[in-house]
Amino acid sequence: SLFDDRKGFSTSRNKSVTMSDNPEKQQQPATVVEGEVVTTPYVAQKTDETAPPRPLGKQGRVCCGGCCDMRRAVIVVNLVNIGLTSISLWFLVYLIIDTQAADFDDDEVAAIYDDTEWTTSIIVALVVSFLTIVCNGLGVYGAVNYNHWMVAVSMAAYAAHLILSLLRFAADGFVYSAFFIYPHWYLIQEIRWGIMTKENYPVEEHSCCCV
């Protein structure tokens, strides 16, 4: 009858209101079956009581649109920069040894290598190269061990190089540093947010060729 239909509608409405008032059941979608509210199971992953449910699956970004995850990208770019800087460091050491051992017949050439400014610039380049290798090594260690502070040290070294490139109007150095800062920035955020951890890296791991 019409009275029974209204009664059934009222009962269903009361059940819906009761369910929406219960915080434990707000995350469960409701399905109406013959005038009764039936909850359907909902699987979610929560970090704490107040955090919203996080969907399952990969949450972190991938570098360069799909090349690899940010952790792997930070390790790779730092190893590449360590290799390039080591070559420059070896060249500087060889140049110092060679110029010290050489006996120049040309007085002008000898004057260049005996110049205090030239010697100072070589020493500064040696120190900068050594510090760069140390910072990049910390970046690799930080990425391997999910330590965002050490990754930040490596990013700071690239940021310093980027600023120097701007002051010297060196476009190549600016692009190089900016490209290497990019994965560091996102990895730091992912580690801080709990996205990139040792426990969930099997989910976050991504590579276009090595996995």
Side-chain angles (χ1 to χ4, degrees):
S1 64
L2 180 60
F3 178 78
D4 293 335
D5 292 341
R6 289 182 177 178
K7 183 178 180 182
F9 174 78
S10 176
T11 303
S12 176
R13 183 180 179 184
N14 290 337
K15 290 182 179 180
S16 299
V17 172
T18 302
M19 176 168 292
S20 63
D21 292 339
N22 189 344
E24 295 296 329
K25 297 182 179 180
Q26 284 182 356
Q27 300 167 359
Q28 299 181 350
T31 305
V32 178
V33 179
E34 297 181 356
E36 296 184 359
V37 178
V38 180
T39 58
T40 56
Y42 177 74
V43 179
Q45 183 179 6
K46 296 197 301 181
T47 56
D48 54 58
E49 292 297 327
T50 60
R54 232 171 55 196
L56 301 176
K58 180 172 174 59
Q59 298 296 299
R61 292 174 175 264
V62 289
C63 187
C64 300
C67 178
C68 59
D69 60 83
M70 291 300 174
R71 176 174 178 258
R72 188 184 299 267
V74 167
I75 294 173
V76 170
V77 298
N78 279 299
L79 289 178
V80 168
N81 202 59
I82 288 174
L84 294 175
T85 307
S86 298
I87 294 174
S88 300
L89 187 62
W90 176 86
F91 176 77
L92 290 171
V93 172
Y94 174 79
L95 184 62
I96 292 175
I97 295 174
D98 185 61
T99 53
Q100 293 295 327
D103 185 15
F104 297 104
D105 295 330
D106 193 333
D107 293 337
E108 292 183 1
V109 175
I112 293 175
Y113 290 112
D114 290 337
D115 185 64
T116 304
E117 183 178 352
W118 183 87
T119 305
T120 303
S121 64
I122 290 294
I123 294 174
V124 170
L126 282 172
V127 173
V128 170
S129 297
F130 177 77
L131 291 177
T132 299
I133 292 174
V134 172
C135 291
N136 293 160
L138 291 175
V140 173
Y141 182 86
V144 170
N145 293 278
Y146 307 94
N147 187 314
H148 69 276
W149 291 111
M150 292 191 177
V151 177
V153 171
S154 180
M155 187 178 74
Y158 291 115
H161 187 266
L162 183 143
I163 294 172
L164 290 176
S165 298
L166 279 176
L167 296 176
R168 294 165 49 198
F169 300 100
D172 54 345
F174 176 83
V175 173
Y176 181 89
S177 300
F179 179 74
F180 280 19
I181 287 173
Y182 155 64
H184 286 73
W185 171 261
Y186 282 110
L187 179 61
I188 291 172
Q189 303 307 316
E190 291 177 9
I191 294 175
R192 291 182 60 194
W193 294 339
I195 295 174
M196 186 68 72
T197 63
K198 181 179 180 180
E199 290 73 22
N200 65 7
Y201 184 67
V203 178
E204 295 296 330
E205 186 178 17
H206 177 81
S207 177
C208 62
C209 59
C210 302
V211 177

